[in-house]
């Protein structure tokens, strides 16, 4: 074969000795590095098989000119594109790479291929038995380490190196380019593996040896391809919480390092403990008192100076012992105490000291009872109390024969089952056996990345040059900037362009962080349309966003051509020291109103700023009412009505900023509603400078008002869908609603007078709510007009003029008035809406809780509950044996108890008007004798008789019966 190759090369190189030697050297290296894949080449280019030319010879002298690739591990086109100097020489890129490029650190293929199926480097290595590049994430560097994970990694890594694999140890605080790694194993629960740059095909392994609860609660837990745990119990626990299977890989020992050594006097003792104290509770502190035992004791480790009873037994002042000294310690003692801590003991995870000491020929006694049973099949002596520990120490330290027999038994068991040589083979077998699943997962992730890459690329919002110049390591490593951002950059807080701040966006909108979505992807696909802020906006950017929002609304509305004799609309504005508000309000007032017949009446409440001057300079039909004192919202507006000539009244806050067509649309909505009530507008927050509230910028402030009952019985008004995006489908349509805000409210003057206008007992709060309720009580209905869009600089005047105490007092005062006038009526209306799934007074569903105390009762109710949930009520069954029966959700409307010895009056968090019903399924005698029966609002029976069982009714009839029962109670 070699002779044939030599002859072929000699012919091709025309006998030139230098060229022949060069090509022979290249051939050798190509084969050494597995850079030519004959099967791949023939499959990819089937015509070559017909030519009877050796595939490698074809590529070397012909294929590369045809831009063919020799294997999946070398991309000639990529290599030439990235290396202009090679491209100019027109030489074979693979020949250059094996002779020069590899030593120079040039890349043989794109480091971040978007398609995982084109990157079989790791697969080939695993199944061909060639060297793998393996990395371990550890706590600290290998120079004087103290952390146990470092030694664990070193021992397993050492055995992998004996199998001809290349092993690297990566301290958690060091920057590392892992693009050459085939496998990375993380031993730290709080380390984000995405900090390391890895190729797509790198197998990411989480080796969970402790802190199992913390592992599953880390957001990065889903980023791994394989999961390993150090005990069976831990595997079982983790399998309940992870979607992927967790495989068993316990800690072990290195029998070359840990084998019997000569005793050293400085380490001699009858028994000892090796391990650090970090301030956590440990059994050894509770169970061991060396002073009470007639044996010599030594303790090795950091932190034990804090425990008084152990101080005299610490082997030196510091307590720290170099790892290399441990075999000498174990050889110089008879018994080692293993004190498994709280993060390993409940899960049966065995500490390395157990395996190491036993391999060294020393007996170990452990508090890890579960670990002894699982890992040592009960052979390892274990204790769970002070008495058991002392008994074991006394027994084995006074019976040398028993101790030596036990050591022999344990040592044989460890050598046979628990060495790192065995673990290295186990690890590679797990990887090999599960590679197809790993590949499947990687391929799925690669498709997601590909999809996200396309989204970003097509958006045009990612500035690649800016990113490369901003983050020099990306440019230095010749990485694709978009891919780097997707896989690593966003987690480091890198920005994709000057126009998007990753950290700011995630902080401003916590829902993004919770969802674990890439923030820039979210902004492109959702945030931009939802008018979320990509960064702190400049004034120019604020205006650009406002114009975008206004233009979007313009596209959606259709203005009506109202004639000049259309009904006169009197626009009433209340003002006090609001000159800046007035300037903003009237800046584009004439252009935006798009309605031909209106007048403006401004009630000025004794302003001391330039408000009057601003108003006098306006070129619109305006009447100014100058009050000598600051009158309330109700008084000022009622007074202004007397000056109005219009058929319609439009109450308008001075802190409103108008947009195109706002009044035209409101008048259209009123016409459609046949002027049968008040019309409200869509109000949006402007850009908010206050950091605390900035996330509200450009979100809905008002789209109608609903009611909910608080715990004390107050029917609280609240804004429907506040803080959602301005064109969300739920609020982007007209609908009848109980109440609209008085900030922008249109109504016929005749209706206003019919209900006696605004109630002047209110003081800047709930006047509009009360007014709208009065309209409904008279038979009218109120409408939200979605196409009328205005910005509301909400409460700026209020917070400027009044202290927190004044506002709090006012709120309590206004609540008391609203409650006394409407609570009872509103309660019935809200309940009626819930019963019939209507959305005028509330958006909430009827919330019912059934209380039971047996599986038998649950079985009887399941069909009914399923029916009620499908109907649209929120219904659940609670077993009083598994939950606190008296801690009921504050939003529950109806409590139905099947438990005779239940006392509703003892409920903790229920609302004042919670309906409490007794449902008697069986045990009628118990109910008749129950002291709690009189505490219910009603008994659910056909004839109000305790002997009638209504549960036998069909669900539809039961629901009808329940509706009538609830309505009877409210009547």
């Amino acid at each position: 074969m070699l002779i044939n190759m030599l002859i072929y090369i000699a012919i091709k190189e025309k006998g030139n000795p230098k060229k022949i030697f060069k090509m022979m050297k290249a051939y050798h290296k190509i084969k050494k590095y597995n850079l030519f894949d004959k099967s791949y080449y023939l499959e990819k280019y089937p015509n070559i098989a017909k030519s009877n030319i050796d595939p490698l010879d074809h590529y070397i002298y012909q294929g590369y000119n045809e831009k063919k690739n020799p294997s999946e591990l070398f991309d000639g086109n990529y290599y030439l594109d990235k290396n202009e100097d090679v491209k100019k020489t027109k030489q074979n890129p693979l020949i250059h790479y094996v002779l020069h490029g590899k030593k120079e650190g040039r890349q043989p293929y794109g480091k971040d291929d978007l398609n995982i199926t084109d990157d079989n480097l790791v697969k080939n290595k695993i199944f061909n038995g060639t060297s793998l590049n393996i990395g371990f994430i550890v706590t600290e560097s290998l120079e004087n380490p103290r952390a146990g994970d470092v030694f664990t990694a070193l021992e397993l890594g050492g055995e992998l190196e004996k199998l001809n694999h290349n092993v690297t140890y990566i301290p958690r605080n060091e920057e590392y380019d892992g693009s050459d790694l085939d496998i990375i194993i993380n031993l730290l629960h709080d380390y984000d593996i995405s900090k390391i740059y890895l190729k797509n095909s790198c197998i990411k392994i989480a080796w969970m040896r402790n802190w199992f609860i913390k592992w599953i609660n880390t957001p990065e837990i889903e980023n791994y391809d394989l999961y390993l745990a150090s005990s069976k119990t831990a595997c079982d626990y983790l399998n309940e919480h992870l979607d992927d299977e967790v495989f068993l890989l316990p800690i072990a020992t290195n029998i070359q390092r840990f084998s019997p050594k000569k005793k050293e006097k400085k380490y001699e003792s009858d028994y000892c403990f090796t391990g650090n104290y970090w301030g956590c509770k440990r059994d050894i502190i509770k169970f061991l008192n060396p002073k009470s035992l007639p044996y010599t004791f030594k303790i090795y480790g950091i932190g034990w100076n804090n425990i008084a009873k152990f101080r005299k037994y610490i082997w030196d002042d510091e307590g720290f012992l170099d790892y290399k000294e441990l075999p000498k310690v174990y050889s110089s003692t008879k018994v080692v105490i293993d004190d498994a801590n709280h993060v390993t003991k409940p899960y049966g995870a065995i500490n390395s000291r157990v395996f190491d000491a036993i391999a060294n020929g020393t007996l170990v006694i452990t508090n890890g009872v579960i670990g002894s049973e699982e890992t040592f099949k009960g052979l390892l002596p274990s204790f769970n109390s002070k008495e058991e520990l002392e008994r074991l120490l006394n027994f084995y330290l006074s019976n040398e024969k028993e101790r030596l027999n036990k050591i022999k038994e344990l040592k044989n068991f460890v050598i046979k089952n628990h060495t790192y040589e065995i673990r290295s083979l186990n690890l590679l077998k797990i990887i090999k056996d599960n590679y197809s699943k790993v590949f499947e997962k990687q391929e799925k992730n690669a498709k997601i990345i590909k999809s996200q890459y396309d989204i970003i690329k097509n958006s045009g919002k990612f500035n690649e040059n800016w990113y490369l110049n901003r983050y020099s390591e990306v440019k230095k490593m010749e990485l694709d900037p978009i891919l780097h951002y997707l896989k690593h950059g966003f987690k480091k807080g890198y920005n994709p362009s000057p126009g998007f701040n990753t950290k700011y966006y995630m902080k401003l909108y916590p829902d993004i962080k919770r969802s674990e979505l890439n923030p820039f992807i979210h902004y492109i696909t959702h945030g931009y349309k939802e008018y979320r802020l990509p960064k702190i906006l400049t004034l120019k950017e604020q205006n650009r966003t406002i114009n975008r929002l206004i233009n979007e609304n313009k596209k959606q509305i259709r203005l009506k051509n109202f004639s000049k004799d259309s009904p006169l609309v009197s626009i009433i504005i209340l003002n006090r020291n609001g000159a800046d508000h007035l300037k903003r309000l009237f800046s584009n007032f004439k252009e935006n109103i798009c309605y031909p017949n209106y007048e403006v009446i401004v009630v000025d409440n004794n302003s001391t700023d330039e408000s009057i001057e601003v108003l006098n300079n306006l070129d619109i039909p305006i009447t100014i009412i100058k009050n000598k004192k600051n009158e309330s919202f109700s008084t000022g507006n009622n007074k202004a009505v007397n000056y109005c000539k219009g058929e319609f009244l439009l109450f308008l806050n001075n802190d409103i900023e108008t947009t195109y067509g706002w009044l035209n649309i409101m008048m259209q909505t009123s016409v459609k509603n046949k002027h049968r009530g008040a019309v409200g507008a869509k109000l949006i927050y402007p850009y908010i400078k206050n950091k605390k509230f900035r996330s509200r910028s450009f979100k809905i402030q008002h789209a109608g008002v609903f009611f909910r009952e608080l715990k004390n019985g107050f029917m609280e008004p609240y804004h429907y869908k506040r803080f959602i995006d301005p064109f969300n489908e739920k609020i982007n349509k007209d609908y009848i609603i109980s109440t609209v805000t008085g900030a922008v409210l249109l109504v016929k003057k005749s209706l206003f007078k019919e209900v006696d206008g605004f109630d002047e007992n209110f003081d800047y709060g709930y006047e509009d709510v009360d007014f709208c309720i009065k309209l409904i009580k008279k038979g009218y209905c109120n409408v939200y007009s979605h196409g009328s869009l205005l910005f509301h600089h909400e409460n700026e005047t209020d917070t400027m003029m009044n202290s927190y105490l004044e506002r709090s007092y006012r709120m309590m005062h206004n609540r008391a008035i609203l409650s006394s006038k409407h609570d009872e009526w509103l309660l019935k209306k809200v309940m009626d809406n819930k019963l019939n799934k209507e959305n005028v007074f509330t958006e909430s569903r009827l919330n019912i809780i059934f209380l039971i105390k047996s599986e038998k009762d649950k079985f009887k109710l399941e069909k009914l509950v399923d029916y009620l949930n499908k109907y649209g009520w929120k219904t659940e069954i609670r077993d009083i044996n598994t939950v606190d029966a008296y801690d009921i959700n504050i939003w529950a409307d109806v409590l139905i108890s099947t438990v005779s010895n239940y006392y509703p009056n003892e409920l903790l968090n229920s609302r004042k008007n919670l309906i409490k019903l007794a449902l008697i399924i069986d045990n009628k005698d118990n109910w008749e004798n129950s002291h709690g029966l009189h505490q219910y609002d009603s008994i659910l029976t056909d004839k109000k008789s305790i002997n009638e069982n209504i549960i036998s009714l069909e669900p539809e009839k039961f629901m009808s019966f329940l509706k009538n029962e609830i309505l009877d109670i409210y009547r």
Side-chain angles (χ1 to χ4, degrees), residues 581 653-656 685 696 701 719 722 743 764 792-802 807 810:
H581 288 320
N653 274 19
N654 68 341
D655 59 357
I656 290 292
Y685 287 104
R696 299 177 181 180
Q701 185 265 320
H719 286 286
R722 200 173 196 179
Y764 281 101
H792 187 195
H793 298 257
E794 183 186 33
N795 291 335
E796 284 189 13
T797 306
D798 185 45
T799 54
M800 283 192 298
M801 294 193 303
N802 300 286
R807 295 197 304 274
R810 236 178 31 221

Side-chain angles (χ1 to χ4, degrees), residues 234-246:
C235 286
D236 292 342
Y237 170 76
L238 294 164
N239 277 320
E240 290 177 8
H241 294 84
L242 298 174
D243 293 332
D244 296 299
E245 185 178 356
V246 180

Side-chain angles (χ1 to χ4, degrees), residues 791-835:
F791 293 98
H792 187 195
H793 298 257
E794 183 186 33
N795 291 335
E796 284 189 13
T797 306
D798 185 45
T799 54
M800 283 192 298
M801 294 193 303
N802 300 286
S803 70
Y804 173 77
L805 286 175
E806 287 176 304
R807 295 197 304 274
S808 298
Y809 172 78
R810 236 178 31 221
M811 183 183 73
M812 290 188 290
H813 167 79
N814 293 328
R815 273 191 173 190
I817 298 171
L818 187 69
S819 180
S820 64
K821 291 182 73 173
H822 304 299
D823 266 2
E824 190 176 333
W825 182 83
L826 281 170
L827 184 65
K828 292 175 182 176
K829 286 292 183 183
V830 168
M831 179 53 72
D832 187 67
N833 268 206
K834 288 182 177 181
L835 287 170

Side-chain angles (χ1 to χ4, degrees), residues 622-684:
I622 187 168
T623 300
I624 305 172
I625 303 169
K626 299 178 183 178
N627 286 335
K628 292 183 179 180
K629 61 178 183 178
N630 183 17
E631 294 180 338
S632 70
F633 177 89
S634 302
T635 304
N637 280 305
N638 286 345
K639 183 177 181 179
V641 171
N642 297 322
Y643 290 81
C644 294
K645 302 170 187 175
E647 182 183 342
F648 285 83
L649 306 174
L650 190 287
F651 298 96
L652 187 68
N653 274 19
N654 68 341
D655 59 357
I656 290 292
E657 188 175 352
T658 67
T659 72
Y660 179 78
W662 65 278
L663 181 56
N664 184 298
I665 297 297
M666 289 188 81
M667 283 299 290
Q668 285 189 58
T669 302
S670 186
V671 170
K672 289 176 190 173
N673 195 39
K674 298 181 180 177
H675 311 303
R676 292 178 301 162
V679 177
K682 178 191 287 184
L683 303 187
I684 294 174

Side-chain angles (χ1 to χ4, degrees), residues 758-782:
F758 294 118
D759 186 336
E760 295 183 11
N761 288 308
F762 291 98
D763 184 15
Y764 281 101
Y766 296 144
E767 301 92 339
D768 46 4
V769 176
D770 171 71
F771 173 73
C772 287
I773 292 173
K774 290 192 295 184
L775 286 173
I776 295 173
K777 285 182 174 180
K778 284 284 188 178
Y780 301 111
C781 64
N782 306 311

Side-chain angles (χ1 to χ4, degrees), residues 32 45 61 116 182 230 288 306 378 500 538 626 809 946:
K32 178 182 175 182
Y45 314 111
Y61 289 102
I116 194 72
D182 305 313
S230 57
L288 181 63
N306 297 311
F500 185 87
T538 63
K626 299 178 183 178
Y809 172 78
I946 204 163

Side-chain angles (χ1 to χ4, degrees), residues 834-845:
K834 288 182 177 181
L835 287 170
N836 296 297
K837 300 189 299 180
E838 295 174 350
N839 294 323
V840 176
F841 291 88
T842 183
E843 61 180 315
S844 302
R845 298 182 292 165

Side-chain angles (χ1 to χ4, degrees), residues 568-575 582 585-586 588-590 593 595-604 614-616 618-625 637 640-641 643-646 648-654 658 662-663:
L568 177 66
V569 178
S570 299
I571 301 172
I572 301 170
I573 300 166
L574 202 62
N575 177 72
L582 294 172
L585 172 63
F586 289 110
N588 293 302
F589 196 81
K590 286 176 72 175
I593 203 163
Y595 186 79
N597 198 13
Y598 68 94
E599 62 172 349
V600 176
I601 290 89
V602 178
V603 179
D604 186 80
V614 170
L615 294 169
N616 285 331
L618 294 175
D619 182 23
I620 55 173
I622 187 168
T623 300
I624 305 172
I625 303 169
N637 280 305
V641 171
Y643 290 81
C644 294
K645 302 170 187 175
F648 285 83
L649 306 174
L650 190 287
F651 298 96
L652 187 68
N653 274 19
N654 68 341
T658 67
W662 65 278
L663 181 56

